[in-house]
Amino acid sequence: NVSRSCLASADTLNSGTGDGLPSAASIDAAAPIRVTCTSGVPYKVLLILSSGSSAGSSNMKGTANGDLIPYLLFSNSARTAPWGNLPANDVEGTGNGLVQQWMVYGRVPSLPNVRPDDYKDTVTVNVTY
């Protein structure tokens, strides 16, 4: 008896280091999400953001202060398809027993006036099958 199974892993999405001055320019970054599912098993990859947003938007919070930097997550390099936790904005595939890689594309639309700090957030990768 072979059961349906999926495994997922993801790299850290790192937006780099800014100069600390407010800017209207976007800061873009990308990172892979790897999914391995049993052959023939359809699956969906959803991103659950700490903000509770279902449409791929949240905030990074300063680790030593309460300042926030907004960001967006997308499933395409053009950054037009929000990636969140609803069927309307998930990514779907069918397992083949091998690692299948998906890229998550992040964007900080503009750097607000925030204090120097290390800004972080947690996004949970959820694979349903």
Side-chain angles (χ1 to χ4, degrees):
N1 187 20
V2 176
S3 62
R4 298 162 45 112
S5 181
C6 290
L7 301 171
S9 65
D11 289 356
T12 299
L13 179 63
N14 186 337
S15 297
T17 301
D19 61 15
L21 300 174
S23 169
S26 295
I27 300 169
D28 292 342
I33 295 173
R34 290 168 294 283
V35 178
T36 306
C37 291
T38 308
S39 290
V41 172
Y43 64 88
K44 295 180 181 186
V45 182
L46 303 122
L47 299 181
I48 301 171
L49 290 88
S50 65
S51 66
S53 168
S54 59
S57 63
S58 192
N59 293 295
M60 292 179 281
K61 184 176 182 181
T63 56
N65 66 51
D67 292 353
L68 300 174
I69 297 177
Y71 69 91
L72 306 162
L73 299 178
F74 302 91
S75 60
N76 65 338
S77 61
R79 291 173 172 79
T80 57
W83 195 348
N85 66 357
L86 294 176
N89 55 25
D90 64 8
V91 171
E92 300 180 12
T94 300
N96 62 7
L98 303 172
V99 174
Q100 295 175 316
Q101 182 169 290
W102 302 92
M103 293 298 291
V104 58
Y105 298 91
R107 172 169 282 167
V108 174
S110 63
L111 190 60
N113 187 12
V114 294
R115 293 172 280 183
D117 201 349
D118 188 19
Y119 290 82
K120 296 181 179 187
D121 195 26
T122 300
V123 176
T124 301
V125 176
N126 185 13
V127 178
T128 61
Y129 56 96

